Amino acid sequence: MSNTPEPRWLDEEEDFTWRAVWSLMTWLPVKLEAQLREDHGLSLYEYYALSQISEAPNRAIRLSELAGITNMTLSHLSRVISRMMKAGWVERVVDPNDGRYTLGQLTDAGWDKVVEMAPGHVEAVRHAIFDQLTDEQIHALGEASARVAEAVSPHGKVTGRPGS
């Protein structure tokens, strides 16, 4: 006789929810990346890295912190930053507060690129998500997504919560 607990199988509603979440995780990034690649020749990861640097104080962030926020390995992020440096959008600079760290610093050209790309990206996000939902559904999706993201992310938090 085994002491292995019986699996907690998903009920019908949970199975539907899981399949919907899986489809969302699969297809939403594909849709958003297609818009960025078509309009600007950049990947979703590249856009996300640029946008996170643009939102950081003084438009600079430790690359190790950026890797965590964007869920990129340091080697992947290094390749992304190198491509953005080649385009003139980002510089690597020594962290003035702790010389052991390197910052990704947005250049003026990088800021201009973010300003150029943001409206189209926001419209793609709005069309894919918010135009499909009522205000109540938007709130519920945000709260539910934050709970799951906080449970699975290594830093246990979601940025940008209204009122925080």
Side-chain angles (χ1 to χ4, degrees):
M1 195 158 151
S2 173
N3 287 341
T4 305
E6 186 66 27
R8 296 184 328 139
W9 298 110
L10 302 179
D11 65 27
E12 191 174 337
E13 184 69 19
E14 291 168 334
D15 185 61
F16 168 77
T17 300
W18 168 237
R19 290 169 190 262
V21 168
W22 181 264
S23 294
L24 178 68
M25 292 183 327
T26 301
W27 294 109
L28 182 60
V30 168
K31 183 79 169 173
L32 297 178
E33 177 143 346
Q35 177 271 320
L36 288 166
R37 285 208 181 274
E38 182 177 318
D39 293 352
H40 304 285
L42 290 179
S43 73
L44 189 57
Y45 275 108
E46 290 167 325
Y47 177 80
Y48 193 39
L50 273 176
S51 71
Q52 292 302 300
I53 298 169
S54 76
E55 293 174 6
N58 302 315
R59 297 185 186 139
I61 189 170
R62 285 182 177 170
L63 294 180
S64 56
E65 182 180 347
L66 183 60
I69 291 169
T70 59
N71 194 26
M72 283 189 246
T73 63
L74 283 172
S75 63
H76 182 193
L77 179 61
S78 180
R79 290 188 301 276
V80 167
I81 294 295
S82 292
R83 283 193 301 274
M84 291 192 287
M85 287 176 64
K86 196 172 190 178
W89 302 331
V90 174
E91 297 172 331
R92 282 186 176 102
V93 296
V94 174
D95 186 339
N97 298 319
D98 188 337
R100 297 174 296 171
Y101 294 96
T102 301
L103 302 177
Q105 172 85 51
L106 202 64
T107 64
D108 289 341
W111 174 250
D112 291 345
K113 188 65 175 175
V114 170
V115 169
E116 173 192 327
M117 293 188 308
H121 177 67
V122 170
E123 186 56 36
V125 168
R126 180 168 297 289
H127 177 72
I129 301 170
F130 300 106
D131 290 350
Q132 313 307 317
L133 304 172
T134 66
D135 289 346
E136 184 176 274
Q137 290 170 324
I138 290 168
H139 178 77
L141 178 63
E143 288 299 315
S145 298
R147 294 277 312 259
V148 173
E150 289 165 353
V152 299
S153 76
H155 46 78
K157 63 182 177 178
V158 173
T159 60
R161 182 178 293 279
S164 61

